[in-house]
Amino acid sequence: MSKTLEELKQAIVEGDDDAAQAKAEAALAEGIPPLETMEQAVVAGIEEAGRLWNANKYFLPDVILAAGAFKAAAAVIQPKLGAAGAPAKGRILLGVVAGDMHDLGKTIVIAMLSGAGFEVIDLGVDVPVQTFIDKVKELKPDIIGMGAYMTTTMLLMKDVIAGLKEAGLRDQVKVIVGGVPTNQQFADELGADAWGRNALDAAAKARALLPVEVK
Amino acid sequence: MDEPKSILGAFFATSTSGEVQVDPLDPCTWWMAYRQSQKGTMEISAQMHDHSMHVAGVPARKFYYDPVVNARVGAAVSAYYHLDSPAVSGDVYNYEAEAMGAKMIYGDQGMPTIDFREPFVSGPGDLEKLKPPADWLSAGRVRFIWETQRISRVMTGGKGLIFCAPFSLAVGVRSYPLLIRDMRRNPKFAHELFTRLVDDVLPSYLKGQADYLGGGDLAIGADAWAAYPNLSPEMVEEWVVPYAGRLMQNCMPFGFAAMAAASGDYCEEDLAKFDKHILWKTFDSEVKVMMGQPVIFMAMGRWHEYPLEPVVEWLDQWKAKGVRASVTAAVNARLLRDGPPEKIVDNVKRFIKAFGYDHNLTLFLANIPADAPSDHVHAAVAAAHEYGRLPLATNLDAVPFELPKRETFQEFVDQMSGGKGLGV
């Protein structure tokens, strides 16, 4: 691996978004193929941060900074991937339910899902029930992911799933839920297809739900 | 060293004095009368504002704005559950930031929340915004929370003050990702932000609150954002401990102690990653936040699944010195929601067995989920009162216990009010 790619990977592992952006630009300037840069440095960097998290070597601040650095580098590389890019493993629509502004988990989930090869569309926070349903109709994702931080707002996930059923969309999209107050039992009660214990787990569950490339 | 009082016990579980007459039209007296009748057991408290609102069927836009509604609902639900302190409170992390001008989202479903998409402090140029408003009482919802606290103090006879701890307030005004980035990449700016909060904003807020309420003795600041792994123990030592001490110093001239609570609370979600050495570091940092007093919080983590032996092992250092530590042990929110009641009861008994004999134990119900079944809460409280009957039985396994069979909340309200309801 080139020195630039090594430095880019390291910048992501260390959560230095400025350095990650600069090194990504340097990689392009040096003519390193965007796909190679993405896979060997950007994705490898966020995966390494996840490994350190699982090993209790990294804490949430380290991961959130790594996710920020991943985002900065990916913003440089992804527009250049074009036809040369690997096909997405699936399209995932992600949002935090209405009344809830906590997007910390979502930020990391997006990084991990993107790193795992999914096309992720971020609906943001405080997303009304109807918006989830309208966006499923419009964008036809393979998976819809909902997050909540509060025990009041998490109950709105039921309304989203009910709305999907009512609109005849439930069979066309898998549903993953996550967030601090949720657990497997809650996901089962909702009728969700999976519960993501954390960002890494969400990526693993998404892979399991879509075991073959669908796009 | 003197034996520390149980911090939450000192703050919450003060007893009412005098003969309380139940007023069917005032749910606050329902709790006061209950509390007066309840003696000789270990105390159990709860954080349950969203749950209370849900159980009582009161709209969020009333519950989080009208202090009388909040107090009556909180008192009624506390009386229903036989809690030893009235869970009369609100969204404790928001008031100071909101009063200074932070943008909020006011939802229909639950508590108001800060809009982190537009941080109040968007950069160093915004530091000037971190200052007390011209009049705290008329800013944001300060009147609501101070008046709620006033009613709570009337109910308990206590003199407590409440605030948002410095680290959590820093997150409130800056957002967690940006604050973390500042701490790592621009520590000078981050330190200036913290300094303004503990030198200017919070002392002014607490002084104003104390003046409004007629004094205060202990101010407790919730600090969930400083929980582990939101912060590593080392980061707690660098960013939480110094400012906790500085805030304490700044408030001493006002005649009350101001302490952050549960900074460093161990909340590892992945059981496979449970690490007693990290746990011990979090306890060590909690002691530093508490000015050297052996006060630990086992609050929001998965304490129904973590082993308790490492906690006992850490506490043994204090026991060896003849010191009873202050231990707050909480029944996990998801356990309270999911049950079954038998597991909840076992969890409470396990806490008492582990900590009740050698330390000052306060039992707590951690942020009861909005839709947690009431039977689950009744089970937890009954277990605390039966297994926690003082003096503690030598063998808790021999203590007879039956799950309580209780009326619904609505039936309880009808009985207490003579069918007139909560009056909200």
Side-chain angles (χ1 to χ4, degrees), chain B residues 54 58 71 124 127 130 182 186 203 216 233 272 284 312 315 393:
Chain B
H54 195 83
V58 177
L127 279 175
L130 294 179
D182 298 335
N186 191 357
D284 290 342
V312 173
L315 287 167

Side-chain angles (χ1 to χ4, degrees), chain B residues 322-369:
Chain B
V323 172
R324 292 174 70 88
S326 167
V327 178
T328 296
V331 182
N332 178 267
R334 276 172 287 189
L335 176 62
L336 285 167
R337 183 181 184 277
D338 297 341
E342 293 80 2
K343 191 173 175 184
I344 295 169
V345 169
D346 282 347
N347 185 227
V348 171
K349 185 164 76 169
R350 182 170 165 257
F351 283 150
I352 297 173
K353 276 185 182 176
F355 313 120
Y357 295 93
D358 296 326
H359 303 285
N360 295 338
L361 173 64
T362 295
L363 293 160
F364 197 64
L365 304 179
N367 198 14
I368 304 174

Side-chain angles (χ1 to χ4, degrees), chain A residues 85-159:
Chain A
K89 291 177 180 168
R91 174 179 288 173
I92 301 182
L93 209 58
L94 213 58
V96 176
V97 296
D100 209 320
M101 305 303 298
H102 300 82
D103 67 350
L104 195 56
K106 179 170 67 61
T107 302
I108 305 171
V109 169
I110 288 172
M112 293 302 173
L113 288 172
S114 302
F118 292 97
E119 177 194 2
V120 184
I121 299 170
D122 181 10
L123 297 180
V125 297
D126 191 25
V127 180
V129 170
Q130 193 57 45
T131 302
F132 276 111
I133 295 158
D134 291 346
K135 289 294 179 184
V136 168
K137 275 184 199 163
E138 177 191 338
L139 301 169
K140 298 184 172 41
D142 302 293
I143 296 175
I144 176 173
M146 292 183 281
Y149 192 80
M150 299 189 282
T151 63
T152 45
T153 56
M154 75 179 191
L155 302 177
L156 291 174
M157 294 174 176
K158 287 180 187 169
D159 296 346

